[in-house]
Amino acid sequence: MSQPLYTGIATSTGDGRAGGNARTDDGVLDVTLAIPKEMGGPGGATNPEQLFAAGWASCFHSALKAVAAQRKTPVTDSAVIAEVQVLPTPEGGFTLSAALHVELSGVDQATADALVDGAHAMCPYSNATRGNIPVTLDATVA
């Protein structure tokens, strides 16, 4: 394996997702966590799934822009919406599933689909989750 290009470091303290705190080593991210109301918690603060969705959406969006640039395909406007769901397992634990919705302007549907496929092949979040959780992708051309 090659040398890492970057290492993100975060620490969880307190009660983890149940009212704890997550903070990066540089202090740029410092959030209180809460179990969502939908899962029986109080809500009112972020949760690991939202943080994961935000990271994946941002990373995938960058990969999409990089693939478009590599292919010399101008994209006039774009957005990536990541949905990360918590699902119960039969054993009493939990797992995740995800959907990535990509919105693009300035290209036709076939090009949009090809760009999304290329971004999914490039994005580290996509590569880390591939084969581990169900992921659906769709592209909408505006």
Side-chain angles (χ1 to χ4, degrees):
M1 187 140 208
S2 59
Q3 292 296 314
L5 299 173
Y6 171 75
T7 301
I9 300 171
T11 302
S12 172
T13 57
D15 292 324
R17 70 179 298 130
N21 178 269
R23 183 177 191 278
T24 55
D25 64 326
D26 61 6
V28 172
L29 179 72
D30 190 347
V31 295
T32 299
L33 301 166
I35 297 173
K37 288 182 180 182
E38 298 84 349
M39 292 177 63
T46 195
N47 59 68
E49 293 73 35
Q50 288 175 326
L51 295 170
F52 188 62
W56 199 349
S58 300
C59 187
F60 196 93
H61 199 187
S62 291
L64 180 76
K65 297 265 187 175
V67 169
Q70 286 174 352
R71 297 180 184 183
K72 297 181 178 20
T73 304
V75 174
T76 55
D77 198 15
S78 59
V80 176
I81 300 101
E83 297 179 13
V84 175
Q85 298 178 324
V86 178
L87 306 166
T89 64
E91 303 78 26
F94 300 94
T95 191
L96 301 173
S97 70
L100 299 175
H101 309 287
V102 179
E103 300 171 353
L104 297 163
S105 297
V107 297
D108 61 26
Q109 188 64 51
T111 302
D113 292 339
L115 291 173
V116 167
D117 289 343
H120 194 49
M122 178 185 283
C123 176
Y125 282 74
S126 294
N127 288 324
T129 58
R130 186 170 290 109
N132 296 313
I133 66 171
V135 177
T136 59
L137 304 169
D138 64 72
T140 302
V141 176

